[in-house]
Amino acid sequence: MKDQSCKPCAEGRYSLGTGIRFDEWDELPHGFASLSTNMEINDSTNESTENCTLSKWAPLGDYIASNTDECTATLMYAVNLKKSGTVNFEYYYADSSIIFEFFVQNDQCQPSADDSRWMRTTEKGWEFHSVKLNRGNNVLYWRTTAFSVWSKVSKPVLVRNIVITGVAYTSECFPCKPGTYADKQGSSFCKLCPENSYSNKEETSCHQCDPDKYSEKGSSSCKMRPACTDKDYFYTHTACDANGETQLMYKWAQPKICNEDLEGAVKLPASGVKTRCPPCNPGFFKTDNSTCEPCPYGSYSNGSDCSHCPAGTEPVVGFEYKWWNTLPTNMETTVLSGTNFEYKGMTGWEVAGDHIYTAAGASDNDFMILTLVVPGFRPPQSVMADTENKEVARITFVFETICSVNCELYFMVGMNSRTNTPVETWKGSKGKQSFTYIIEKNATVSFTWAFQRTSFHEIGRKYTNDITKIYSINVTNVINGVASYCRPCALEASDMGSSCTSCPPGYYINRDSGTCHTCPPNTILKAHQPYGVQACKPCGPGTKSNKIHSLCYNDCTFSISTPSRTLDYNFSALANTVSLAGGPSFTSKGLKYFHHFTFSLCGNQGKKASVCTENVTDLRIPERESGFSRSITAYVCQALIIPPEVTGYKAAVSSQPVSLADRLIGVTTDMTLDGITSPAELFYPESLGIPDVIFFYRSNEVTQSCSSGRSTTIRVRCSPMKPAPGSLSLPSTCSDGTCDGCTFHFLWESIAACPICSAADYRAIVSSCVAGIQKTTYVWREPKLCMSGISLPEQRITICKTIDFWLKVGISAGTCTAILLTVLTCYFWKKNQKLEYKYSKLVMNASLKDYDLPAADSCAIMEGEDVEDDLIYTSKKSLFGKIKSFTSKRTPDGFDSVPLKTSSGGPDMDL
């Protein structure tokens, strides 16, 4: 400052000129602020905000680490620049389930351009990021939010070596910190001391440690070497020599920090005797110098000699590694430090004959990494024609973990050199087992296995004996792959003889004749083993196959017979995709999220129409590059949704998509199909007498918790009060749609789920006869439990005679008849009495002797007397008795016999 000139810094010191550097993070440097807030911008409660109090950026020595939960953590630094400058920093960002943004605000609180706001995930260790700064006040923001609601804890974002230029002209030089040195004048930074050396503050060189001590890179002191143990060395096999022999070798784990001269220390075991080399891997053959080379296309091998495929067969290309004498050329291994996340030039996995295993790292929290790169795939022609079957190839590996602490094995897949996506994680010891992953996209794919013994960093090696063994790796349909066997193929006649050709989609190969035959109706073909009619598997109930026999689907129709009638259904109104959001859930930090389901029930020729995406990536990538996002297409899929009113972003955050239904198993009214059960008690009972129609699905993805993959049932129920598409609901007892995490259940209520209307669904109402007209009207039975189908018949009108007229005619005729009968009865009764009197007189006169006059029994008929009044009855009889006598006393000659008394009182005489 005295002569207003710039001078170089002395040795042991450094200067950034117009800048400042932050490379020590034992505590938060002066001027930095670390804030933490709950993501919900409209949060009215204090409880969730308090949960996020401790979710901040944490200084951890050489770097500062972000939070790993769903809170929003912000690291801020305000600086006033005298002239335009830059901010540079290194960052490690491996987990895409965290949103990491860096932006700058100026005096007017205007943020910088959004293009550079969203940080890209790092591919290989630490990456460098630089942003220009304008003159004046600038506020720097590093902000992170995690969205790993389901999965394990995310890996934090790490930031180190923050450098800001344009601050002011510095008037002093800064001393190099312990563990670094500057051996030249005018240094802008200090170099790290190499291993087994140290330095104090403001040093110009590093000092070597004593032979019985050691140090790590950039150390300020040396530590005593511990005694060597059996955990400080490992074994490997040498490459095959010209004699076809290999040797078991023991090596010290690097860097070697133990002392084998101390009391009780173990020595490195002597190298073993030579043994015969294992055979080459399938598809390879052994050369004269005992190396393994791939067989040419059209041939195969079991690891010894190459053989041409017989006529009528073709090689099945892929990679199958089961002998581990040397690491295959398309595989590489390294070690990622679990402390500073830098890659080390070390071997993480060692070959061991029949397996490959994790070697000893520099520290127990290092990641032992093994990577296999496959350039691309060539699936069978029938698979390429199937747009819904996404299986391009598959990788299967057999592994075993042996752990004494909580170790972790990660299996990750990367497409086209993009960031590896974790597929599965195994914790702790796992017995020997197999795992299969299906590749659904033809691209350059990298498969990575990463093993970490423990996440805690301690000095020395304690858990070297915790290892992972991989016994075999098998990848199918690989471009430029090798073959371990040949499979029958369809033959095509040509001038050169017969050659292999591809069968059309949906055709199987007859092994004997080599000809192609189409599968029977409503069967699907096993595309990877299309031999014989037994390769055609029948579709489930209520489904049929598509044209190329690759999948079974339901065309939105269904029919079932009941004792009373046949119910026909048409679910076309339910064919479009619909969504369902479960009730809100909350994380331990108070973040609100939803389980979001998307459904495509039927139709579309079996095309899967439900799409669930991972748009956490889209939020930080420009729209033109949004192809990075991961999406899943299925019949039913699920994602976690955090609504925009919670995040403050323009769109809702969708993360962790999962397929719940990749194959339709069948459609039936039974509660169980193919081992999947849809318990009726999960939903309120059906009350209309129409049976629920249940769709059964399975997914292809197999997880540790769901050994058979996930399955889904959709119970479709007739509900006349709910117009199409109706409403979906989750089980009341399982609010996330599943009670065990593997089988998901849904209820879909709609009028479109009612049967098609038929003649049994309406009835006739006949009106009375009015003015000679009678009407017949047809109405639906209530409640109406059908839709579409037939229409109600038109009203029918018929001519009729009124029932009142005939009633009057009948009454009048009846009355007249009754009166006539009464008059006739009285008339004939009177007539009968007169006849009876005259007849009795006649009989009495006939009983006297001839010419004798009868004695006078009575006075003569006086004038005025009626003859009928003096009729004398011999005995009193009732009318009934008289009729009886009249009918019973008739003689055979047709006359009546009447008992009479003579006037002299003699005996009765029948006449």
Side-chain angles (χ1 to χ4, degrees):
M1 294 296 291
K2 290 181 181 179
D3 55 6
Q4 295 291 304
S5 62
C6 296
K7 295 183 179 179
C9 291
E11 297 174 351
R13 301 172 72 86
Y14 75 96
S15 166
L16 295 176
T18 62
I20 51 177
R21 172 185 284 131
F22 301 97
D23 54 6
E24 296 184 43
W25 297 95
D26 296 316
E27 60 182 6
L28 203 62
H30 178 72
F32 278 87
S34 181
L35 306 177
S36 180
T37 58
N38 186 281
M39 185 187 296
E40 293 201 45
I41 54 178
N42 296 325
D43 189 21
S44 58
T45 62
N46 294 326
E47 180 182 353
S48 57
T49 305
E50 293 172 359
N51 288 337
C52 287
T53 305
L54 300 178
S55 299
K56 298 180 178 181
W57 287 76
L60 297 175
D62 293 333
Y63 50 78
I64 185 168
S66 75
N67 65 323
T68 57
D69 53 29
E70 58 274 14
C71 299
T72 297
T74 305
L75 181 67
M76 299 170 51
Y77 184 75
V79 62
N80 189 305
L81 299 190
K82 303 300 182 183
K83 65 174 185 177
S84 298
T86 59
V87 54
N88 308 318
F89 60 90
E90 292 180 81
Y91 71 99
Y92 178 78
Y93 176 24
D95 196 333
S96 61
S97 64
I98 292 182
I99 288 183
F100 176 33
E101 50 184 326
F102 171 74
F103 59 95
V104 181
Q105 285 187 346
N106 57 19
D107 286 339
Q108 288 77 36
C109 292
Q110 297 295 321
S112 59
D114 283 344
D115 287 346
S116 60
R117 178 184 185 123
W118 309 104
M119 306 298 292
R120 299 287 182 90
T121 51
T122 54
E123 306 294 338
K124 293 282 187 180
W126 293 83
E127 292 192 5
F128 184 80
H129 188 67
S130 178
V131 174
K132 291 183 179 180
L133 301 178
N134 296 323
R135 180 180 177 182
N137 290 324
N138 293 269
V139 184
L140 315 181
Y141 293 89
W142 293 263
R143 180 177 292 168
T144 55
T145 307
F147 291 100
S148 56
V149 180
W150 266 1
S151 59
K152 58 180 287 295
V153 176
S154 307
K155 295 178 183 177
V157 176
L158 310 180
V159 174
R160 69 181 183 187
N161 292 339
I162 300 176
V163 178
I164 304 173
T165 62
V167 178
Y169 296 105
T170 182
S171 58
E172 60 177 336
C173 296
F174 301 98
C176 291
K177 68 177 183 178
T180 64
Y181 68 100
D183 55 355
K184 296 179 182 179
Q185 289 186 349
S187 297
S188 60
F189 64 93
C190 299
K191 303 175 184 177
L192 293 176
C193 286
E195 296 175 350
N196 298 322
S197 66
Y198 72 98
S199 71
N200 296 313
K201 188 176 182 179
E202 201 172 346
E203 291 275 9
T204 59
S205 63
C206 298
H207 311 286
Q208 290 295 317
C209 295
D210 295 335
D212 60 345
K213 295 181 179 180
Y214 78 99
S215 70
E216 298 176 351
K217 191 177 181 180
S219 296
S220 60
S221 62
C222 298
K223 305 168 187 175
M224 293 298 298
R225 292 182 182 271
C228 291
T229 67
D230 59 355
K231 296 179 176 59
D232 289 305
Y233 64 84
F234 61 94
Y235 64 92
T236 184
H237 286 75
T238 62
C240 290
D241 57 21
N243 298 323
E245 293 180 329
T246 182
Q247 189 176 22
L248 181 68
M249 297 287 292
Y250 292 93
K251 296 180 180 180
W252 290 113
Q254 296 298 323
K256 182 186 176 187
I257 60 174
C258 67
N259 189 347
E260 51 187 311
D261 298 326
L262 294 178
E263 182 180 355
V266 300
K267 300 288 186 180
L268 189 67
S271 296
V273 296
K274 290 187 175 182
T275 58
R276 294 294 300 172
C277 280
C280 294
N281 280 307
F284 290 80
F285 70 97
K286 191 162 290 187
T287 62
D288 294 337
N289 57 0
S290 297
T291 60
C292 294
E293 295 290 336
C295 289
Y297 183 79
S299 59
Y300 70 100
S301 84
N302 59 1
S304 53
D305 297 325
C306 297
S307 303
H308 284 285
C309 288
T313 64
E314 61 182 352
V316 181
V317 295
F319 286 133
E320 183 179 0
Y321 301 123
K322 63 179 183 179
W323 298 110
W324 304 92
N325 184 249
T326 58
L327 197 65
T329 55
N330 58 350
M331 298 183 75
E332 60 181 20
T333 176
T334 185
V335 176
L336 175 66
S337 170
T339 305
N340 58 16
F341 296 95
E342 291 183 342
Y343 285 90
K344 303 176 180 179
M346 298 172 56
T347 299
W349 294 68
E350 290 287 346
V351 294
D354 65 344
H355 66 272
I356 185 172
Y357 76 103
T358 49
S363 173
D364 285 335
N365 68 338
D366 287 348
F367 291 91
M368 307 287 111
I369 293 178
L370 178 68
T371 302
L372 166 65
V373 178
V374 176
F377 303 94
R378 183 180 285 114
Q381 186 67 29
S382 58
V383 175
M384 296 292 288
D386 181 8
T387 57
E388 291 307 303
N389 185 356
K390 302 296 182 64
E391 181 175 339
V392 172
R394 59 174 59 194
I395 178 172
T396 303
F397 59 92
V398 179
F399 70 99
E400 177 185 19
T401 59
I402 304 170
C403 299
S404 59
V405 291
N406 193 22
C407 65
E408 287 187 285
L409 172 65
Y410 304 89
F411 176 61
M412 298 172 285
V413 177
M415 294 281 183
N416 293 331
S417 302
R418 296 298 174 198
T419 306
N420 287 331
T421 301
V423 172
E424 190 60 274
T425 304
W426 295 270
K427 295 183 179 181
S429 294
K430 299 292 181 184
K432 191 174 181 180
Q433 58 186 275
S434 171
F435 179 80
T436 298
Y437 174 76
I438 295 176
I439 299 102
E440 297 183 345
K441 185 177 181 181
N442 197 348
T444 300
V445 181
S446 63
F447 304 101
T448 302
W449 294 264
F451 178 70
Q452 186 182 37
R453 292 178 169 88
T454 177
S455 58
F456 300 103
H457 176 57
E458 295 182 19
I459 302 300
R461 302 182 180 94
K462 294 183 179 180
Y463 309 113
T464 305
N465 291 339
D466 292 6
I467 59 173
T468 291
K469 294 181 179 180
I470 294 180
Y471 294 93
S472 66
I473 301 174
N474 188 356
V475 189
T476 64
N477 302 334
V478 179
I479 292 178
N480 300 326
V482 294
S484 60
Y485 67 97
C486 299
R487 63 186 171 199
C489 65
L491 298 179
E492 182 180 41
S494 63
D495 296 338
M496 303 295 293
S498 59
S499 60
C500 280
T501 185
S502 297
C503 281
Y507 284 68
Y508 66 88
I509 300 173
N510 186 307
R511 285 181 181 271
D512 299 329
S513 62
T515 55
C516 298
H517 300 273
T518 183
C519 276
N522 295 330
T523 61
I524 56 173
L525 179 66
K526 294 170 61 178
H528 296 278
Q529 295 290 332
Y531 307 117
V533 70
Q534 61 271 16
C536 303
K537 302 297 181 183
C539 289
T543 65
K544 61 182 181 181
S545 63
N546 58 356
K547 293 181 180 178
I548 61 174
H549 296 274
S550 63
L551 57 83
C552 298
Y553 75 100
N554 176 269
D555 59 358
C556 295
T557 61
F558 182 71
S559 179
I560 182 175
S561 296
T562 64
S564 58
R565 58 179 290 195
T566 297
L567 299 175
D568 295 314
Y569 295 85
N570 187 337
F571 301 124
S572 299
L574 308 180
N576 296 328
T577 56
V578 295
S579 298
L580 167 66
S585 302
F586 296 88
T587 66
S588 59
K589 303 295 183 181
L591 174 66
K592 180 170 69 174
Y593 66 94
F594 298 88
H595 290 281
H596 189 266
F597 303 93
T598 307
F599 304 84
S600 57
L601 185 71
C602 58
N604 302 316
Q605 285 289 310
K607 181 177 177 61
K608 300 169 185 171
S610 299
V611 179
C612 296
T613 59
E614 166 91 71
N615 74 346
V616 176
T617 312
D618 288 343
L619 293 175
R620 60 171 185 269
I621 290 176
E623 290 184 7
R624 61 183 178 274
E625 301 178 29
S626 61
F628 293 163
S629 63
R630 185 166 66 98
S631 64
I632 283 179
T633 304
Y635 294 117
V636 183
C637 62
Q638 177 190 31
L640 296 183
I641 298 292
I642 303 173
E645 64 268 17
V646 173
T647 63
Y649 299 117
K650 295 179 181 178
V653 174
S654 173
S655 67
Q656 299 162 42
V658 177
S659 171
L660 305 182
D662 294 313
R663 306 189 312 274
L664 177 60
I665 303 301
V667 184
T668 178
T669 55
D670 298 332
M671 287 197 300
T672 302
L673 181 64
D674 192 33
I676 309 171
T677 301
S678 173
E681 59 271 13
L682 287 179
F683 303 98
Y684 64 89
E686 187 277 324
S687 59
L688 299 177
I690 303 294
D692 293 342
V693 179
I694 308 173
F695 287 70
F696 291 85
Y697 302 88
R698 281 195 188 280
S699 71
N700 295 327
E701 184 180 3
V702 176
T703 63
Q704 294 181 67
S705 56
C706 305
S707 58
S708 300
R710 299 181 180 90
S711 55
T712 298
T713 69
I714 302 178
R715 185 178 285 264
V716 182
R717 177 173 295 176
C718 173
S719 181
M721 303 304 293
K722 296 184 178 179
S727 65
L728 281 144
S729 57
L730 300 170
S732 57
T733 54
C734 309
S735 58
D736 293 339
T738 176
C739 301
D740 58 4
C742 295
T743 304
F744 291 76
H745 305 281
F746 305 95
L747 175 64
W748 195 335
E749 298 174 281
S750 171
I751 188 174
C754 295
I756 298 174
C757 294
S758 65
D761 292 303
Y762 63 80
R763 61 189 180 90
I765 298 178
V766 181
S767 68
S768 59
C769 195
V770 178
I773 295 176
Q774 189 175 50
K775 297 179 180 179
T776 303
T777 306
Y778 298 91
V779 296
W780 296 113
R781 298 183 184 275
E782 293 295 337
K784 183 185 177 184
L785 301 179
C786 66
M787 62 166 288
S788 62
I790 66 172
S791 302
L792 284 175
E794 295 290 333
Q795 188 182 58
R796 198 173 66 192
I797 300 176
T798 57
I799 299 174
C800 64
K801 293 184 178 180
T802 61
I803 193 169
D804 294 343
F805 171 79
W806 289 111
L807 185 61
K808 292 175 181 176
V809 170
I811 292 174
S812 301
T815 303
C816 294
T817 304
I819 294 172
L820 181 62
L821 288 174
T822 303
V823 171
L824 289 174
T825 302
C826 295
Y827 170 77
F828 284 113
W829 182 75
K830 293 291 284 183
K831 195 79 173 175
N832 185 58
Q833 276 193 332
K834 290 180 178 180
L835 286 174
E836 186 178 354
Y837 171 74
K838 291 178 178 180
Y839 185 72
S840 61
K841 284 288 189 181
L842 180 63
V843 171
M844 289 176 63
N845 293 332
S847 63
L848 296 177
K849 292 180 179 181
D850 293 337
Y851 311 110
D852 284 345
L853 290 173
D857 290 333
S858 62
C859 296
I861 298 176
M862 298 300 293
E863 188 177 356
E865 279 186 312
D866 196 359
V867 178
E868 291 83 358
D869 294 340
D870 288 277
L871 183 62
I872 300 173
Y873 293 98
T874 56
S875 61
K876 288 288 185 180
K877 287 186 180 180
S878 66
L879 178 63
F880 178 76
K882 293 178 181 180
I883 296 173
K884 183 177 179 183
S885 299
F886 179 76
T887 57
S888 61
K889 294 291 184 175
R890 187 174 295 272
T891 57
D893 56 1
F895 293 97
D896 290 337
S897 175
V898 181
L900 298 174
K901 285 183 178 182
T902 62
S903 57
S904 58
D908 293 342
M909 181 182 298
D910 282 334
L911 295 178

